[in-house]
Amino acid sequence: MDVPSLKKTHPQKYYFKALCKFMFYLGMGDLWYEENGASYISKKVYTAWRIIANGYIIIILLDELLSYARTDLTDREKNDLVQFSFAHPLIYCKVLTLYIWKDRIKVVMERLLEGSRPIFHSLELERLSVKQFSRHCFSLTSASYVTLCSATIEGIRLHFIEDIPIRTEVVYFPNRSETGFFINVLRFFIEFHWYSIVAMMATMDCLALCSLLTVGHKFRVLRLYFRELRTRIMEHRGKKTREQLNEEFKKGFVVGIKLHVDALWCARNVQQSMGPLYSIQVMESVALLVMCLIKMVVAERTLTYLIANFAYIMVLIILTGSYMMAAGDITHEASEVGTAIFHSGWEHCDGRADLRTLAVVALQMSQVPVYMTAFGVITLSYTNFISVLRSSYSFFAVMY
């Protein structure tokens, strides 16, 4: 299927495929579940690119960690070092998690996009879900790069004021006293490293967020199916015999149960395959929010520095809030399925015992809450989003 027709007929698949393609170009491997038909030479070239891209990230991370051995760091550099040497390795932990769960993610992605769609789908709801994808991914990516640009502007300001090289990350080599063409080229790659690793982080988080939003979409489609089932039964009353009406409803109700089982399977397996990403993000957000608050208290309060720090805080809040709200939508949508099942029209089918039994089983299954969690303990929800922010401030208040 060509790209324009895919965008019109299956917008969710189009969006996921575009994300996976971008991750592929970043050297994060092929996460798409369909065969790409690449030649042997192309595969070897791409393997070399993956080694170079990931080696570049790892080498700069090690250079950053080694800077703890430096004795000439200023107070500002020490504060930045603690913050970045905590945040950047955690971002790469997300990449490693993606590599570990790659095969499982492919299976889950295929089930999300293809599993129950041939049975029943709503193109209108799919388009609405893709608009959600775009809003979440745009806000996350734009906030991330606004933060990077703010940090770069602050580095340029310090370059002109203090006559030091432009710096956004603190590394062991090169230090501020070293100069030369090769050193300047190396400095460029060190500064570009932050942009590169954030691109990886943004695409991973977008993939995880889109997976959560797709699970929520599945529960919305399920509710629509049961509403349409009721409408169909009400329209056929008086036009078909009771036996025909009962049989039609029973077949439709069984299909609805299958759709519900598929949605629950997707929720459970998205949690298993993407759960480590949520867990890392929650831990990272709490710790980095505390660090940013402390930096705002102890560091020099220039306008560009405050903008950079506020931008960093904002991206943490947006990223954590996106996860929490997308997961909270799943819990809410799943909780509404029981009402849709109860009002699906089973009471109009002559009171057959087997239909009542099916309805009771389906209702019992829908009463089990669907939660997405971090570390298997912290429930991702609207309420816990506020709790995470409060915990960060409380920890800062105790520490400071």
Side-chain angles (χ1 to χ4, degrees), residues 167-179:
R167 177 197 64 78
T168 55
E169 294 185 336
V170 183
V171 293
Y172 180 77
F173 178 82
N175 59 43
R176 71 179 67 186
S177 62
E178 292 172 305
T179 58

Side-chain angles (χ1 to χ4, degrees), residues 11-43:
Q12 286 181 340
K13 184 176 180 179
Y14 172 82
Y15 205 96
F16 271 88
K17 190 172 184 179
L19 272 177
C20 290
K21 187 179 292 186
F22 192 67
M23 295 173 79
F24 179 81
Y25 292 147
L26 286 174
M28 300 170 71
D30 187 7
L31 288 168
W32 191 237
Y33 57 87
E34 295 176 335
E35 292 293 331
N36 57 16
S39 64
Y40 175 79
I41 295 177
S42 298
K43 290 179 179 178

Side-chain angles (χ1 to χ4, degrees), residues 5 58 69 76 103 142 150 180 207 210 221 250-251 254 265 292 307 311 319 321 331 338-339 351 353:
S5 62
I58 292 171
R76 179 189 290 267
D103 293 334
S142 58
S150 301
L207 183 67
C210 291
V221 169
K250 184 176 180 181
K251 287 181 179 178
V254 169
W265 185 95
C292 288
I307 291 174
L319 187 52
T331 303
T339 303

Side-chain angles (χ1 to χ4, degrees), residues 16-17 19-25 27-36 46 50 94-110 113 200 203-205 207-208 273-274 277:
F16 271 88
K17 190 172 184 179
L19 272 177
C20 290
K21 187 179 292 186
F22 192 67
M23 295 173 79
F24 179 81
Y25 292 147
M28 300 170 71
D30 187 7
L31 288 168
W32 191 237
Y33 57 87
E34 295 176 335
E35 292 293 331
N36 57 16
Y46 183 71
R50 282 185 69 185
K94 290 185 178 181
V95 180
L96 295 178
T97 299
L98 203 70
Y99 290 153
I100 293 170
W101 290 96
K102 183 179 73 172
D103 293 334
R104 186 63 180 173
I105 289 172
K106 286 184 179 181
V107 173
V108 173
M109 204 184 307
E110 183 174 11
L113 300 174
M200 288 183 167
T203 50
M204 283 186 297
D205 288 323
L207 183 67
S273 56
M274 304 287 188
L277 295 179

Side-chain angles (χ1 to χ4, degrees), residues 99-129:
Y99 290 153
I100 293 170
W101 290 96
K102 183 179 73 172
D103 293 334
R104 186 63 180 173
I105 289 172
K106 286 184 179 181
V107 173
V108 173
M109 204 184 307
E110 183 174 11
R111 184 76 174 265
L112 272 174
L113 300 174
E114 311 285 0
S116 60
R117 197 173 187 274
I119 301 174
F120 180 80
H121 72 278
S122 167
L123 199 56
E124 183 180 355
L125 286 180
E126 278 193 29
R127 287 172 180 154
L128 288 175
S129 69

Side-chain angles (χ1 to χ4, degrees), residues 26 49-63 92 169 185-197 200:
L26 286 174
W49 164 240
R50 282 185 69 185
I51 293 171
I52 292 170
N54 286 273
Y56 164 61
I57 298 295
I58 292 171
I59 288 171
I60 303 299
L61 284 178
L62 292 174
D63 193 17
Y92 199 73
E169 294 185 336
V185 170
L186 183 59
R187 282 200 176 99
F188 167 79
F189 281 107
I190 290 171
E191 302 311 316
F192 184 72
H193 166 263
W194 199 0
Y195 287 81
S196 177
I197 198 171
M200 288 183 167

Side-chain angles (χ1 to χ4, degrees), residues 337-354:
V337 169
T339 303
I341 293 173
F342 185 78
H343 293 292
S344 61
W346 60 272
E347 70 276 12
H348 297 291
C349 294
D350 203 25
R352 283 178 51 179
D354 56 344

